[in-house]
Amino acid sequence: MRMLKDMSPKNVLFRKGFWKSRVDMVTEKLIPYQWKALNNRIPGAPPSFAVENFRIAAGESEGKPKGTIFQDSDVAKWIETAAYSLMIRSNPELEQIIDELVRLIEKSQLSDGYVNTFFIAGNPEKRWTDMNMGHELYCAGHMMEAAVAYYEATGKRRMLDIMCRYADHINEVFGPGENQNHSYDGHPEIELALHRLAKVTGEQRYTRLADYFLGVRGSVEDFYTGKATQSGMMHDSRWFLNDYYLAHKPVEEMNQAEGHAVRAMYLYSAMADMSRSKGGRKMLKALTSIWRNTVDEKMYITGGLGSQSHGERFTIDYDLPADTGFFETCASVGLVFWARRMFSAIQHGEYPDIIERALYNGALSGVSLDGTRYFYSNPLEVNPEVAAYRHDHEHIQISRVPWFDCACCPTNIARLIESLGTYMASCSENAAWIHQYTACEMNILLEQTSVRIKQDTEYPWDGKIRISLKMEGSLNFTLFLRIPGWCADFSLWINGEQQRKPLLENGYLVMSRTWQNGAQIELDLDMPVRFVRSNSNVREYAGKVAVQRGPVVYCAEEVDNGKGLQELVVDPTAKTILEHDNSLMEDTRIIYLTGYRDKAEGDALYFEYEADKDFVPCRIRTIPYYQWGNRGDGQEMRVWLRVKQ
Amino acid sequence: MRMLKDMSPKNVLFRKGFWKSRVDMVTEKLIPYQWKALNNRIPGAPPSFAVENFRIAAGESEGKPKGTIFQDSDVAKWIETAAYSLMIRSNPELEQIIDELVRLIEKSQLSDGYVNTFFIAGNPEKRWTDMNMGHELYCAGHMMEAAVAYYEATGKRRMLDIMCRYADHINEVFGPGENQNHSYDGHPEIELALHRLAKVTGEQRYTRLADYFLGVRGSVEDFYTGKATQSGMMHDSRWFLNDYYLAHKPVEEMNQAEGHAVRAMYLYSAMADMSRSKGGRKMLKALTSIWRNTVDEKMYITGGLGSQSHGERFTIDYDLPADTGFFETCASVGLVFWARRMFSAIQHGEYPDIIERALYNGALSGVSLDGTRYFYSNPLEVNPEVAAYRHDHEHIQISRVPWFDCACCPTNIARLIESLGTYMASCSENAAWIHQYTACEMNILLEQTSVRIKQDTEYPWDGKIRISLKMEGSLNFTLFLRIPGWCADFSLWINGEQQRKPLLENGYLVMSRTWQNGAQIELDLDMPVRFVRSNSNVREYAGKVAVQRGPVVYCAEEVDNGKGLQELVVDPTAKTILEHDNSLMEDTRIIYLTGYRDKAEGDALYFEYEADKDFVPCRIRTIPYYQWGNRGDGQEMRVWLRVKQ
């Protein structure tokens, strides 16, 4: 197995284009906005209390901690996001805010190393008693990830040291020893964090602890089937048993996507991390099986996951309801985490393919274009009256909202976008993989030589990508360029010379040669408007198509097409019109489809069908799915459109 | 307003044909089967305890009553069904069973007249304390209906007297007086019963009590919004507030179908009863508005009602999910009750039209062809794997079952079928309306003259109906023959002479003349296979058609068409083949459609759409919807099929 080096946001400079606009949005608008949210300063938004909880735990404020049992993780993810922003752009004021937070965290830390405001200030006697819903190790994990990111961004060790002390404490409490707790967290996360901690500190005990948590998981029968937990969550239904927690079997025996979708993504990510150390082969076999099941049978076209709201979980194969699914932003974010780690184990383009799918669609849809409004669920069809009324739509927001009582999603999409550099490329000693295309400059370290890779492109709106290499002199290495799974045709030029039969392997163009400084590569990915159908086993999308161009999935919105989107019928044989649009986001390409509106006259509920009688030709305006819900509240929206057959 | 006389099952003799086979099934198989069920003698079925409860309440057995709080009503509805059967066919053995039951009921009756095993033997101190979920007046109503039917069948007064004593007791407890209870039942039913009791006894105080219950309903604000009732039902969700009980406003101010679907049907039936006495005009205005909303916006094509399982209730206009709705058998039965009463107030064919729709489809589907297996919900689409897994399908039986813990439906469909004579025709002094067509002989009393109307027909499988009149000499009266709403073309002959321009008014052919003994009328209703579409506002059925012939809605079942019914695409322009089939029920017409199977090859979840590429011509076998689920368990089934457009 090749040892790949991960990229860091530090290594990537985004230039004017799609992702620069998103990263800038997070840096400039979202981070300050979320700081206000965490401090209850957004009028009309549910108060967070998350920062105040640390003041209380530090003894600098009165009261009991408020909010969810895992409220600390919102602060952690905000710090992590802010740390990534500092890797891209310095901001002393922001750094000062974080330093002050770190001071509070340290002050709240107990002498044994324990950090958690909910338990310290509210329920000290309940520490480590509610492993399935207590989220203590989960919060610890997020705090550790924040600490690592802040250390990597600034070189400041204080938060890292705090969290190492906490990790050491956890390492004492949990483990195989007779007097140790043999449990693990109902929500995987600490495993990911311990790997990062190990990497930055070089301390192998953290990896071993992560391995322990993974190894013990699912090994105790009925470990989680208590009637209710201290947090009040009932486990009286079959959707909240062990499999909900991914605690129903040893991880290496898992073979399909199941349980709570976010928990699953985090667990599979941790398993992929572990697969690179010990027990790799068996773990990879399990992961490959789960991966296939996820992307071939249980994934929405947007990269959304979790077909049922009750349990926020996976259901059965090909069950992908467009309106009532859960599609949690965090699950799509977690899918990106997992896919990146899968690539580290198996260098195949299908992993960055899925990263791209989730990034441009089901993850990015979770945040408004200005960074201040959010979706928790990212459905593929919204009918506001139904969503406002029906019991099985209770979880659907018909409009983006300023914050949530349970605000895991806004901070998760934030840290993903701000760390996007991590997902752009990979490298080993003598190879560089370019996974994602966007206008940018990337520094990649091969052996001891740094190569600067510049991308000029309007991707994802245009398929032309010009890549230039800058290095001292020349270097022999293999350059891999991903040919996305959606792309059926492409052209390649190297230094102006068209390559007639380029080597395409495992989803990448493979170019091994001695590259000279100034080398120019041009890749032209054919990017037509595509009508996509689903496997015929998917009941929901039978007779329907989705519109996709490049990696971007499109949708029809009420504001463009009027109410009753079920009446729209696409003619896939007719021409489509691509149009520049700057109204919501610069350089967007919107797509006009040709089709019909099937609007029958009259008040009757049931009446004679007459073929095509009610078909009135019409133009259907579609916009990128991730942009929906940015123009007025309570809009109908639909990804899967009827197709004329 | 014309004063119409109701028909009785006594007046109708079914002859070999559709309904004779159903009525015989109830008489011969269902009644003995349900008696066993009520006595816990069906192996594998949930025990009922309903008869044993009466023994306990009568002091002839030990223990506490078991089952639902309204278990008495199952016994009542069984007696009512058995009584109707005695109107058709004498059965001394059955009469003896009922007489013994009546003895027990009388022995259980308290000295003040109160009858209810749950409260007498289990919770005497709680009488009349839980009006929203206690179902005391509901049970009383069903017992009264049974008593009336048994009296009408046999002339025996004992049960009638018992229930009159109970009605008198209720009349003392409830009413506008200062020391009276100003409440009413959370489940309407007693109002209907009191009208029947008043009619058979001539006691107007029962009508006045029914009027009182209707008049006080909805007049006390937040009457029902307690946190929980004694029966443990939570009212913490917006679907279980006052409107669930139809207790949210005065009945005359209601204007749309809302709340719990069965409660609603019973209430609207009671309102229609009341509209014939006092306050008629305002009540009829409310009813007309509710009726329009029900049939034009909230009714399944099968006559099923209630689009949401949570609250078993109506939702919003045009919200008609084929798989997750509630479609309770009792709701379709209740729709028949209501529609009959609407006709009594407004003589229009649309009411018998809806009776016909519910009878042949959403009601009849609730019982297996042999009378021993039942559906509670009657969905229009069943995907067994989904139904077995998903939370929003928890209420769906994927196979017919032998009994239910809550067994309201089996006894309700039974009494409906066995009292079918009631729905066949109506008459006033000088007019007779023929509503339903089936091979039978009906005795109708006009003024003082009895007219015997004989129908020869294979309806609903064939549209030809020959009607002959038998009477002493001749009689001047108006004969109304319903032209069903589904019928676009028909021919009429009177005494062999074709009528070129027959008078068609309000859904009926109107024939006023002096009829001679032996008069012959032939009506030929054109009965093609119809492809029916829905109003374009219904999201669920966009791009789909239902197949209907005559009043019968058809469905595709897995046993005939394989798995994956979403792959079937009907070509509505191609020919259909009608075939005789006796395998499930004699003389059934099954329909073969021409169409395609849209089965894409390959494992991918999403891929390029290519028009018609995957369409393989195929024949689609459809059977009458009400027959589904009679050939093996756990079958896919679908009413709304994709249509080639």
Side-chain angles (χ1 to χ4, degrees):
Chain A
M1 193 185 292
R2 296 179 201 251
M3 288 309 293
L4 298 193
K5 279 179 283 185
D6 290 335
M7 294 282 289
S8 155
K10 286 181 184 175
N11 304 131
V12 180
L13 174 70
F14 292 103
R15 296 170 58 246
K16 187 174 182 310
F18 189 96
W19 283 113
K20 178 167 168 56
S21 98
R22 297 303 83 204
V23 170
D24 283 355
M25 174 273 284
V26 172
T27 309
E28 294 162 13
K29 293 185 183 163
L30 183 148
I31 291 172
Y33 177 87
Q34 294 200 348
W35 177 244
K36 281 190 199 162
L38 296 176
N39 286 280
N40 305 357
R41 288 197 226 117
I42 304 292
S48 159
F49 307 110
V51 174
E52 175 69 4
N53 287 350
F54 275 100
R55 278 192 212 100
I56 293 168
E60 298 190 1
S61 194
E62 296 290 311
K64 290 278 178 192
K66 291 180 193 155
T68 68
I69 202 167
F70 45 84
Q71 211 76 339
D72 287 3
S73 64
D74 291 345
V75 172
K77 286 189 281 183
W78 181 83
I79 294 175
E80 189 184 343
T81 307
Y84 296 136
S85 83
L86 295 172
M87 296 184 190
I88 301 168
R89 198 193 291 190
S90 76
N91 183 339
E93 211 175 313
L94 181 63
E95 229 175 294
Q96 208 179 338
I97 291 174
I98 299 173
D99 289 340
E100 164 60 12
L101 260 178
V102 172
R103 186 190 66 78
L104 276 180
I105 294 165
E106 185 161 39
K107 202 167 168 199
S108 81
Q109 184 168 37
L110 301 187
S111 56
D112 60 8
Y114 187 87
V115 178
N116 184 310
T117 70
F118 181 89
F119 288 91
I120 289 174
N123 306 272
E125 78 290 357
K126 291 186 177 163
R127 273 171 60 178
W128 312 126
T129 60
D130 183 9
M131 294 309 296
N132 47 353
M133 284 306 288
H135 286 80
E136 282 165 285
L137 293 174
Y138 168 90
C139 285
H142 278 301
M143 296 292 280
M144 289 173 197
E145 288 208 72
V148 170
Y150 194 54
Y151 167 71
E152 289 178 333
T154 62
K156 295 181 181 173
R157 291 199 60 95
R158 190 168 174 190
M159 184 165 182
L160 188 66
D161 290 340
I162 296 168
M163 294 319 297
C164 283
R165 288 199 294 276
Y166 190 13
D168 291 337
H169 170 63
I170 292 168
N171 197 30
E172 279 171 26
V173 173
F174 291 87
E178 207 174 316
N179 297 318
Q180 284 181 299
N181 188 331
H182 301 161
S183 190
Y184 49 98
D185 201 279
H187 198 315
E189 154 61 22
I190 191 159
E191 299 84 353
L192 301 175
L194 287 169
H195 272 276
R196 290 182 76 173
L197 206 59
K199 198 168 161 197
V200 79
T201 61
E203 297 289 355
Q204 286 312 304
R205 64 177 179 277
Y206 299 140
T207 317
R208 284 196 299 272
L209 182 57
D211 290 350
Y212 173 75
F213 284 133
L214 274 183
V216 76
R217 179 169 287 271
S219 64
V220 183
E221 215 176 327
D222 282 336
F223 192 76
Y224 281 122
T225 46
K227 276 279 179 224
T229 69
Q230 296 173 7
S231 50
M233 186 147 179
M234 294 303 294
H235 301 288
D236 56 354
S237 104
R238 60 196 167 102
W239 296 281
F240 289 96
L241 300 182
N242 281 345
D243 66 330
Y244 168 87
Y245 300 99
L246 285 306
H248 57 307
K249 56 169 78 164
V251 295
E252 289 177 345
E253 293 174 18
M254 294 180 181
N255 58 10
Q256 62 168 336
E258 52 202 331
H260 182 265
V262 180
R263 282 171 169 80
M265 290 304 109
Y266 282 37
L267 177 66
Y268 305 152
S269 298
M271 287 163 66
D273 273 343
M274 185 172 170
S275 77
R276 287 201 278 176
S277 50
K278 66 175 210 184
R281 187 167 300 201
K282 210 171 162 197
M283 190 74 92
L284 263 188
K285 192 168 170 244
L287 283 170
T288 305
S289 172
I290 299 168
W291 176 267
R292 285 264 64 81
N293 181 243
T294 305
V295 303
D296 291 345
E297 278 117 23
K298 289 178 178 161
M299 181 188 66
Y300 286 92
I301 193 171
T302 52
L305 297 174
S307 297
Q308 179 171 293
S309 158
H310 196 74
E312 307 175 351
R313 63 177 290 152
F314 288 108
T315 61
I316 59 175
D317 289 355
Y318 301 113
D319 182 39
L320 295 160
D323 53 349
T324 61
F326 202 64
F327 340 83
E328 183 177 344
T329 304
C330 284
S332 293
V333 170
L335 178 60
V336 172
F337 296 162
W338 179 29
R340 181 168 73 80
R341 288 164 172 84
M342 288 300 288
F343 183 86
S344 295
I346 303 169
Q347 285 78 55
H348 196 291
E350 73 169 313
Y351 304 112
D353 267 3
I354 294 294
I355 289 176
E356 185 182 54
R357 186 188 288 275
L359 276 179
Y360 283 102
N361 302 294
L364 193 53
S365 61
V367 56
S368 67
L369 296 171
D370 71 354
T372 68
R373 294 291 181 277
Y374 306 93
F375 281 134
Y376 201 101
S377 283
N378 298 274
L380 276 66
E381 176 184 326
V382 173
N383 301 289
E385 289 85 3
V386 177
Y389 187 88
R390 252 173 48 186
H391 181 249
D392 56 1
H393 284 66
E394 272 198 294
H395 59 296
I396 299 295
Q397 293 93 38
I398 59 175
S399 306
R400 294 173 183 277
V401 297
W403 204 246
F404 302 97
D405 289 318
C406 168
C408 50
C409 293
T411 47
N412 229 353
I413 181 63
R415 69 182 181 133
L416 175 66
I417 295 174
E418 206 67 351
S419 63
L420 193 75
T422 318
Y423 302 89
M424 295 295 299
S426 299
C427 57
S428 68
E429 286 209 341
N430 54 5
W433 287 260
I434 313 293
H435 304 312
Q436 306 298 338
Y437 301 114
T438 199
C440 69
E441 288 174 40
M442 302 185 285
N443 273 320
I444 290 184
L445 192 69
L446 300 167
E447 293 180 45
Q448 302 308 318
T449 309
S450 174
V451 179
R452 191 162 185 83
I453 301 179
K454 186 178 171 199
Q455 293 188 33
D456 282 303
T457 180
E458 287 182 60
Y459 199 91
W461 308 122
D462 189 276
K464 285 192 190 63
I465 304 130
R466 273 179 302 162
I467 292 170
S468 57
L469 307 181
K470 237 174 156 176
M471 65 199 101
E472 301 240 337
S474 66
L475 189 67
N476 186 289
F477 68 96
T478 305
L479 183 65
F480 293 89
L481 294 186
R482 185 172 65 93
I483 301 300
W486 55 259
C487 178
D489 200 13
F490 64 90
S491 308
L492 176 74
W493 291 263
I494 301 181
N495 295 324
E497 190 177 327
Q498 185 157 12
Q499 310 295 303
R500 295 291 167 191
K501 286 186 179 174
L503 178 61
L504 180 62
E505 265 182 7
N506 296 331
Y508 286 85
L509 291 174
V510 186
M511 294 167 281
S512 301
R513 61 172 68 191
T514 301
W515 294 97
Q516 306 290 334
N517 180 35
Q520 297 278 345
I521 299 140
E522 275 185 68
L523 178 62
D524 192 353
L525 303 170
D526 194 29
M527 196 184 271
V529 174
R530 293 168 63 219
F531 294 102
V532 178
R533 63 161 294 166
S534 73
N535 189 300
S536 36
N537 291 321
V538 184
R539 291 172 312 283
E540 282 272 340
Y541 312 144
K544 294 177 185 166
V545 289
V547 179
Q548 193 177 333
R549 182 171 176 272
V552 180
V553 174
Y554 283 72
C555 71
E557 215 180 357
E558 176 183 336
V559 64
D560 295 317
N561 301 286
K563 279 190 183 296
L565 300 178
Q566 74 276 5
E567 295 167 358
L568 299 181
V569 183
V570 175
D571 180 353
T573 64
K575 71 169 177 185
T576 57
I577 299 169
L578 212 61
E579 201 173 273
H580 251 83
D581 184 85
N582 296 315
S583 61
L584 283 174
M585 188 175 146
E586 210 175 349
D587 273 340
T588 297
R589 301 299 193 281
I590 59 158
I591 300 173
Y592 287 98
L593 312 174
T594 303
Y596 304 87
R597 185 172 277 272
D598 174 22
K599 175 93 183 160
E601 294 296 322
D603 296 333
L605 189 48
Y606 304 110
F607 50 96
E608 304 305 311
Y609 175 78
E610 293 178 63
D612 297 353
K613 176 177 167 289
D614 304 305
F615 274 35
V616 178
C618 76
R619 205 168 69 157
I620 301 166
R621 189 182 199 264
T622 63
I623 64 165
Y625 168 75
Y626 74 86
Q627 293 190 3
W628 97 272
N630 279 286
R631 293 173 297 168
D633 288 345
Q635 297 283 322
E636 268 186 52
M637 184 278 295
R638 190 172 276 238
V639 168
W640 290 94
L641 300 170
R642 288 165 62 190
V643 62
K644 182 157 170 59
Q645 294 187 308
Chain B
M1 194 183 293
R2 296 181 203 248
M3 288 311 292
L4 299 193
K5 278 178 285 183
D6 290 334
M7 295 282 288
S8 155
K10 286 181 186 177
N11 305 132
V12 180
L13 173 72
F14 291 104
R15 296 169 59 242
K16 186 173 183 311
F18 189 96
W19 282 113
K20 179 169 169 52
S21 97
R22 297 302 83 204
V23 170
D24 282 356
M25 174 272 284
V26 173
T27 309
E28 294 162 13
K29 294 184 184 162
L30 183 148
I31 291 173
Y33 177 88
Q34 294 199 349
W35 177 245
K36 281 190 201 161
L38 296 175
N39 285 280
N40 304 358
R41 289 198 225 117
I42 305 292
S48 161
F49 307 108
V51 174
E52 175 69 4
N53 288 349
F54 274 101
R55 278 190 214 102
I56 294 169
E60 298 189 1
S61 194
E62 297 290 311
K64 290 277 179 191
K66 291 180 194 154
T68 68
I69 203 167
F70 45 83
Q71 212 75 339
D72 288 2
S73 64
D74 291 344
V75 172
K77 285 190 281 183
W78 181 84
I79 296 176
E80 190 184 342
T81 306
Y84 296 136
S85 82
L86 295 173
M87 296 182 190
I88 301 168
R89 198 192 291 190
S90 76
N91 184 338
E93 213 176 311
L94 181 63
E95 227 175 295
Q96 210 179 337
I97 292 174
I98 299 173
D99 288 341
E100 164 61 13
L101 259 179
V102 171
R103 185 191 66 78
L104 276 180
I105 293 165
E106 185 160 38
K107 202 167 167 197
S108 80
Q109 185 168 36
L110 302 187
S111 57
D112 60 8
Y114 186 87
V115 178
N116 185 308
T117 70
F118 181 89
F119 288 91
I120 289 173
N123 307 272
E125 76 291 357
K126 290 187 177 164
R127 275 171 58 178
W128 312 126
T129 61
D130 183 8
M131 294 309 296
N132 46 353
M133 285 305 288
H135 286 78
E136 283 165 284
L137 293 174
Y138 168 89
C139 286
H142 278 303
M143 296 293 279
M144 288 173 198
E145 288 207 73
V148 169
Y150 194 55
Y151 167 72
E152 289 177 334
T154 61
K156 294 181 182 173
R157 291 200 60 97
R158 193 168 171 189
M159 184 165 180
L160 188 66
D161 290 341
I162 297 168
M163 294 318 297
C164 283
R165 288 200 295 275
Y166 191 12
D168 292 338
H169 170 63
I170 291 167
N171 197 32
E172 278 170 28
V173 173
F174 293 86
E178 207 175 315
N179 298 319
Q180 285 180 298
N181 188 329
H182 302 163
S183 190
Y184 50 98
D185 201 279
H187 199 314
E189 155 59 23
I190 193 162
E191 300 83 354
L192 302 175
L194 288 168
H195 273 276
R196 290 182 76 173
L197 206 59
K199 201 168 158 198
V200 79
T201 61
E203 297 289 354
Q204 286 311 304
R205 64 176 179 278
Y206 299 139
T207 317
R208 282 196 301 273
L209 182 57
D211 290 351
Y212 173 75
F213 283 133
L214 274 182
V216 75
R217 181 169 284 272
S219 64
V220 184
E221 216 177 325
D222 282 335
F223 191 75
Y224 281 121
T225 46
K227 277 278 177 223
T229 70
Q230 296 172 8
S231 51
M233 186 147 180
M234 293 301 294
H235 301 287
D236 55 353
S237 102
R238 60 196 167 101
W239 296 281
F240 289 96
L241 301 182
N242 281 347
D243 65 331
Y244 168 86
Y245 300 99
L246 286 305
H248 56 307
K249 56 169 77 165
V251 294
E252 289 177 344
E253 292 173 19
M254 294 180 180
N255 57 12
Q256 61 169 335
E258 53 202 330
H260 181 267
V262 180
R263 284 173 168 79
M265 290 304 109
Y266 282 38
L267 178 65
Y268 306 152
S269 298
M271 287 164 65
D273 274 343
M274 186 172 169
S275 77
R276 289 201 278 176
S277 50
K278 66 174 211 183
R281 185 168 301 202
K282 211 173 160 195
M283 190 74 92
L284 263 189
K285 191 166 171 246
L287 282 170
T288 305
S289 172
I290 299 167
W291 176 268
R292 285 264 65 82
N293 181 244
T294 305
V295 303
D296 292 344
E297 279 117 24
K298 288 177 179 161
M299 179 187 68
Y300 287 92
I301 193 171
T302 52
L305 297 174
S307 297
Q308 178 171 292
S309 158
H310 195 74
E312 307 176 350
R313 61 177 293 150
F314 288 107
T315 61
I316 59 174
D317 290 354
Y318 301 114
D319 181 40
L320 294 161
D323 54 350
T324 61
F326 202 64
F327 340 83
E328 184 177 343
T329 304
C330 284
S332 294
V333 170
L335 178 60
V336 172
F337 296 161
W338 179 29
R340 181 169 73 80
R341 288 164 172 84
M342 288 300 286
F343 182 86
S344 295
I346 303 169
Q347 285 78 56
H348 196 291
E350 73 168 312
Y351 304 113
D353 267 2
I354 294 295
I355 289 176
E356 185 182 55
R357 184 187 290 275
L359 276 178
Y360 283 102
N361 303 294
L364 193 52
S365 61
V367 56
S368 68
L369 296 171
D370 71 354
T372 69
R373 293 293 180 276
Y374 306 93
F375 282 134
Y376 201 101
S377 283
N378 298 276
L380 277 66
E381 178 185 323
V382 174
N383 302 289
E385 290 86 2
V386 178
Y389 187 89
R390 251 171 50 185
H391 181 249
D392 56 2
H393 284 65
E394 272 198 292
H395 60 296
I396 299 295
Q397 294 93 39
I398 59 175
S399 306
R400 294 173 182 277
V401 298
W403 204 246
F404 302 98
D405 289 320
C406 168
C408 50
C409 294
T411 47
N412 229 353
I413 181 63
R415 67 181 182 133
L416 175 66
I417 294 173
E418 206 65 353
S419 63
L420 193 75
T422 319
Y423 302 90
M424 294 295 299
S426 299
C427 58
S428 68
E429 287 209 338
N430 53 6
W433 286 260
I434 313 293
H435 303 313
Q436 305 298 338
Y437 301 113
T438 199
C440 69
E441 288 175 41
M442 302 185 284
N443 273 320
I444 290 184
L445 192 70
L446 300 165
E447 294 181 48
Q448 303 309 319
T449 309
S450 173
V451 179
R452 190 160 184 86
I453 301 178
K454 186 179 169 197
Q455 293 187 33
D456 282 302
T457 180
E458 287 183 61
Y459 199 92
W461 308 123
D462 187 275
K464 283 194 194 61
I465 303 130
R466 271 180 305 161
I467 291 169
S468 58
L469 308 182
K470 235 175 156 177
M471 66 199 101
E472 301 239 335
S474 66
L475 189 68
N476 186 288
F477 68 96
T478 306
L479 182 66
F480 293 88
L481 294 187
R482 185 171 65 93
I483 301 299
W486 54 258
C487 178
D489 200 13
F490 64 91
S491 306
L492 176 72
W493 291 264
I494 301 181
N495 295 325
E497 192 179 327
Q498 185 159 12
Q499 309 294 303
R500 294 292 167 190
K501 288 187 176 168
L503 178 60
L504 180 63
E505 263 182 12
N506 297 329
Y508 286 84
L509 290 174
V510 186
M511 294 167 280
S512 301
R513 62 172 65 190
T514 301
W515 294 97
Q516 306 290 335
N517 179 36
Q520 297 279 346
I521 301 140
E522 274 185 69
L523 178 61
D524 192 353
L525 301 170
D526 194 28
M527 196 183 269
V529 173
R530 293 167 63 218
F531 294 102
V532 178
R533 62 162 294 166
S534 73
N535 189 300
S536 38
N537 291 321
V538 183
R539 292 172 313 283
E540 283 271 342
Y541 312 143
K544 294 178 184 163
V545 289
V547 179
Q548 192 176 334
R549 183 170 175 272
V552 179
V553 173
Y554 283 71
C555 71
E557 216 181 354
E558 176 184 336
V559 64
D560 296 316
N561 301 286
K563 280 190 181 294
L565 300 179
Q566 74 277 3
E567 296 168 357
L568 299 180
V569 182
V570 175
D571 180 352
T573 64
K575 71 168 178 187
T576 57
I577 298 169
L578 212 61
E579 203 173 87
H580 251 82
D581 185 85
N582 297 316
S583 61
L584 285 174
M585 187 175 146
E586 211 175 347
D587 273 340
T588 296
R589 300 300 193 282
I590 59 157
I591 301 173
Y592 287 98
L593 311 175
T594 303
Y596 305 88
R597 185 172 277 273
D598 174 21
K599 175 93 183 159
E601 294 295 322
D603 295 335
L605 190 47
Y606 305 109
F607 51 96
E608 303 306 309
Y609 175 80
E610 294 178 62
D612 297 352
K613 174 176 166 293
D614 304 304
F615 274 34
V616 177
C618 76
R619 203 168 70 154
I620 301 166
R621 188 182 198 263
T622 63
I623 64 165
Y625 168 75
Y626 74 86
Q627 294 190 3
W628 98 270
N630 279 286
R631 294 174 295 166
D633 288 345
Q635 297 284 320
E636 268 187 52
M637 185 278 295
R638 191 171 275 240
V639 167
W640 290 94
L641 299 169
R642 288 165 63 190
V643 63
K644 180 156 170 62
Q645 293 186 310

